[in-house]
Amino acid sequence: NALAADLERHLKHEPVLARPPAAAYRAGKFVRRHRFGVAVAAAIAALLTVSTILLSVQAGLLRRECDRAKIEAQNAAAVLAFMDDVLDSPDPYEGAGQDVTVLEALDAAVPRLQEELGGRPIPKAAAEDAIGRAYLSLGRIEDAEPLLASALDLRRTFLPDTSRLIASSVNNYAAVVHETDRFADAEPLYREAVARYRALDGEESADALEPLANLALLFDMRMERFEEADSLYRAAIAIGTRVLNADDPEVALWRQNYAGYLCYVANDSDRGIELLRMAIPSLEQEYGPESVNEALAASLLGYCLTSIGEYAEAEAQLLGVLPVLEVKLGPDHQRTGDARERLARLYEMWERPER
């Protein structure tokens, strides 16, 4: 009877009484007897384990993101505080008074960079980049270069290689190298900036358009690589029209630069005039009717109109912008001189020497 009972238990996957009741033996019998229930329980246990691991990983990532955001906020606050103090200098209520110009305020700020931000490389790089770009726009190339070079070096050292700020610094430093006539050095920097932005955003990156257009200008105005310049101008305008807007002021400036190439180099003044007539309304809307950008485009339009014999309209354009450039840039500025030379060329071709 005991043997028959054990055989029946064996067939039902129940523990037999004739062998010691080891835990593994009883567990094996239980699993075979309740296969479906054990499988479901095991799946639930595995799912709970995976969920716990994922939640732990996500919590760690969230903590790191929060820490990174906190550090970035602290860096931004440090830069804003420093630049706010710099720009307070010309304020008679806060700083040294109305006799201090913005340029003098920038000059006074540079020695303070190391003292106040020396131990914080990322805020220091941001302040150097801002002041360097201001110097560059004011024509103080010799003061801009060391600041932009230092900002780029700090960002390459302390930021991840995929940081957008590195791409921005590469482009800014390329611009100052371009202005110092080191064209062979500027080209790879512009190309690096384009490649970095495209790696971040794709082939039609909006941020890549500025270094792309700068590279076109370098090839056109400085290196006489005209076919490459033509291709890059057209690419910047086409992509800019798609990803920005046909009336975007940046696209308008690239049309203006391309028009200069067409009128001066490619002997295609009709196409250049067409581009300028598209660009000038956008520039006027963005910067105002008597802005330097609008005046420079109108001055170039006067040159192009002269080339096709449209003397009366060319004269109206050049006489209209010359006072603006004299006031905004000064009578001795190169761009003001360009407008005068274009006017003299017009009267020579028009055979109106008395004018």
Side-chain angles (χ1 to χ4, degrees):
N1 290 338
L3 177 61
D6 270 350
L7 287 173
E8 186 176 352
R9 290 189 188 96
H10 175 74
L11 293 173
K12 293 180 180 180
H13 301 296
E14 295 176 353
V16 297
L17 300 179
R19 65 180 297 171
Y25 171 73
R26 289 182 175 275
K29 289 294 184 180
F30 180 84
V31 168
R32 283 192 291 273
R33 193 166 66 250
H34 303 289
R35 283 190 175 94
F36 179 74
V38 170
V40 171
I44 292 173
L47 181 61
L48 289 173
T49 301
V50 172
S51 298
T52 302
I53 293 171
L54 288 176
L55 287 172
S56 177
V57 171
Q58 289 175 348
L61 291 174
L62 182 60
R63 281 194 298 272
R64 285 194 290 274
E65 284 298 308
C66 288
D67 290 342
R68 185 178 64 82
K70 184 178 179 180
I71 291 170
E72 289 182 356
Q74 290 172 345
N75 288 337
V79 175
L80 286 173
F82 181 82
M83 296 305 297
D84 186 58
D85 189 44
V86 169
L87 296 176
D88 270 345
S89 298
D91 186 342
Y93 294 96
E94 300 288 343
Q98 62 181 354
D99 292 334
V100 178
T101 66
V102 172
L103 188 54
E104 289 169 337
L106 293 174
D107 289 342
V110 172
R112 295 166 45 199
L113 283 167
Q114 182 60 35
E115 178 185 346
E116 299 184 24
L117 298 174
R120 306 182 68 177
I122 302 307
K124 183 171 184 282
E128 288 176 335
D129 187 71
I131 296 173
R133 285 185 289 111
Y135 275 139
L136 183 61
S137 68
L138 292 167
R140 292 273 294 270
I141 310 301
E142 69 283 357
D143 295 312
E145 181 169 1
L147 292 170
L148 294 174
S150 175
L152 175 57
D153 182 61
L154 288 172
R155 285 172 169 173
R156 284 194 194 275
T157 302
F158 292 99
L159 290 175
D161 191 57
T162 55
S163 172
R164 189 175 298 273
L165 290 175
I166 296 178
S168 175
S169 268
V170 171
N171 182 53
N172 294 338
Y173 184 57
V176 80
V177 171
H178 184 163
E179 289 296 324
T180 56
D181 296 343
R182 287 144 47 208
F183 311 132
D185 294 329
E187 179 184 349
L189 289 168
Y190 282 138
R191 291 191 184 279
E192 180 187 351
V194 171
R196 284 181 175 275
Y197 281 129
R198 286 178 169 173
L200 291 168
D201 305 326
E203 282 300 305
E204 295 205 342
S205 166
D207 286 336
L209 294 175
E210 181 182 346
L212 189 71
N214 288 342
L215 188 59
L217 194 63
L218 175 70
F219 288 164
D220 170 18
M221 300 290 290
R222 303 293 191 173
M223 303 182 76
E224 297 186 355
R225 290 162 60 176
F226 298 125
E227 289 187 8
E228 293 170 273
D230 185 279
S231 176
L232 291 174
Y233 276 135
R234 287 187 285 106
I237 293 168
I239 297 172
T241 300
R242 287 195 295 272
V243 303
L244 297 174
N245 187 294
D247 298 323
D248 188 276
E250 290 296 315
V251 177
L253 289 172
W254 302 332
R255 286 194 180 110
Q256 176 184 335
N257 291 340
Y258 189 32
Y261 162 79
L262 292 170
C263 293
Y264 274 94
V265 177
N267 196 28
D268 190 358
S269 294
D270 289 327
R271 176 60 177 150
I273 290 168
E274 179 185 350
L275 290 174
L276 288 167
R277 294 198 192 281
M278 295 172 65
I280 289 173
S282 299
L283 296 173
E284 184 173 338
Q285 181 177 358
E286 178 71 15
Y287 301 109
E290 293 190 350
S291 69
V292 170
N293 284 323
E294 189 270 343
L296 292 176
S299 173
L300 179 58
L301 178 59
Y303 175 89
C304 298
L305 288 166
T306 300
S307 298
I308 62 170
E310 296 290 341
Y311 301 133
E313 186 181 355
E315 181 184 42
Q317 292 289 341
L318 292 167
L319 289 178
V321 302
L322 190 55
V324 175
L325 296 175
E326 288 176 338
V327 170
K328 297 290 181 70
L329 297 179
D332 299 325
H333 195 281
Q334 179 182 344
R335 298 291 181 247
T336 309
D338 289 344
R340 287 200 199 92
E341 289 180 4
R342 288 166 178 171
L343 193 58
R345 171 178 176 266
L346 162 67
Y347 290 141
E348 181 180 357
M349 293 181 67
W350 202 3
E351 298 181 353
R352 300 285 179 90
E354 71 280 2
R355 299 196 181 189

